[in-house]
Amino acid sequence: MASIPLLRLLLLLLPLPLREHLWPSHHRPNDVSAGAGELHPIFIVPGASCSNLEARLTDAYRPSEPSCGALKGKGWFGLWENSSDLPTHHYNECFKEQMSLVYDPVANDYRNFPGVETRVANFGIARGFRSKNPSHPEWCLAKLIGALEEMGYRDGDNMHGVPYDLRYSAPIPGQASQVYSRHFREFMELVETATEKHHHNKKAIILGHSLGGMVALEFVRNAPSAWRDKHIEHLFLVAPTLSQGFVTTVRNLVSGPRNLVYVADATDLSLRPMWRSFETSIVNVPSPGVFGHEPPIVVTERRNYSAYDVEDLLAAVGFSDGVEPFRRRTVARMNYHEAPMVPLTCINGVGNRTPQQLVYWDGNFDEPPQIVYGEGDDIINLVSMLAFDEDMCRQPGQKGRFKSIKLDNASHGSVLTDEWALRRVMQEILEVNRNSK
């Protein structure tokens, strides 16, 4: 006989009107803790725009404008929490300076702007995610978290949010990253606490969406094999941005970060220098092994650029500073294909117009490109998804523990907001909880 939590899970998979008929919301218990220990603890790693950053300015900070030093010596403040407030306080220019990173070629790593200390807020709390774009409050997994709560998950108990600093890229094993060394250590401690102390050694489910999918994957790949076996039940990657790359990354790099870093009253072009200082800006450029020579990803009257020509493209768009970190960090990622060697489900939307080629015909990279579209989830190209699937399936230790799900007409964002698509994701989480011992 199915247990009470599993009955709730099964009801959750029904369409909303039928679910309300069978189990009206006003009849549901407020305390769903009964039997919640039967569920595997889940750790949610959100998309790029959902984590909140706090900053502290030290004596070493030398602001470009005197007003930018107003908070110097006054402790921690919300640097990237509610970006709609930035223009109100005339803080846009200060924000861009204090968010910027500096590449350190000696350490082959990235650092904060001198005199700026940062930390991620609300670590461990799923309800701590916040969309910075008021036009898209649904971007930060509120519907997923709500569905998990209906399932019997409780924030801070057997459900945890794992925000991160979007500016840095999660490293492949062996790659330097001061920020992620600390972040992964804290993530491991969070998992250990939840799996060992509170839930009868129930292993963890880790779910990452978009850029959070890349963070989740690298977290698992960086963890020792014995630790993975002991603590991880299942890894879900939902619309992950992976090292196979995608063309939208190039558009953001060339023309500015559309929708990724929302700041009221700021144009993509005005945010472009800040965006280019982030390692994130170059980490998902199309991989030559996936995209090849044809078709070119950028077209101009004078020259075309394929995935093999990224260094030349960086120079052409005025970002020569990006060549060394691209060569020393991003290329290594493109050539790293090791599977995480844990049960893995990758869920992508397909059937959407997705940028495949960018045309800057007159060579003016300050103007928006004409876009040639292909197949994908409206952000990630289908060819990248299929290349990742192939990488996983050709490794014997992963092949039997890998599942790829393609949801037709679900987009990069709607895969976790459209009810029918979310229901499919929840069905997979149900299966893991139902099938585990």
Side-chain angles (χ1 to χ4, degrees), residues 346-360:
C346 188
I347 304 173
N348 295 98
V350 293
N352 304 273
R353 293 196 331 152
T354 303
Q356 177 177 303
Q357 187 178 75
L358 309 173
V359 181
Y360 298 89

Side-chain angles (χ1 to χ4, degrees), residues 384-428:
S384 300
M385 304 176 194
L386 298 179
F388 179 74
D389 291 354
E390 185 178 330
D391 282 343
M392 296 301 102
C393 288
R394 66 178 172 76
Q395 299 179 58
Q398 188 67 62
K399 183 176 181 180
R401 297 188 289 174
F402 175 65
K403 184 176 184 180
S404 175
I405 298 171
K406 302 290 185 280
L407 300 180
D408 196 28
N409 295 321
S411 70
H412 188 77
S414 74
V415 68
L416 286 175
T417 57
D418 285 354
E419 186 180 336
W420 69 271
L422 176 59
R423 193 160 62 242
R424 186 70 176 86
V425 174
M426 298 301 294
Q427 181 181 345
E428 294 301 314

Side-chain angles (χ1 to χ4, degrees), residues 200-235:
H200 312 293
N201 291 314
K202 278 279 191 179
K203 295 197 286 185
I205 295 172
I206 297 174
L207 184 150
H209 174 242
S210 192
L211 183 61
M214 182 178 75
V215 174
L217 175 64
E218 299 306 349
F219 167 67
V220 175
R221 292 203 289 200
N222 274 273
S225 177
W227 189 92
R228 293 180 233 174
D229 293 342
K230 181 178 181 181
H231 292 286
I232 298 178
E233 180 70 23
H234 208 98
L235 174 62

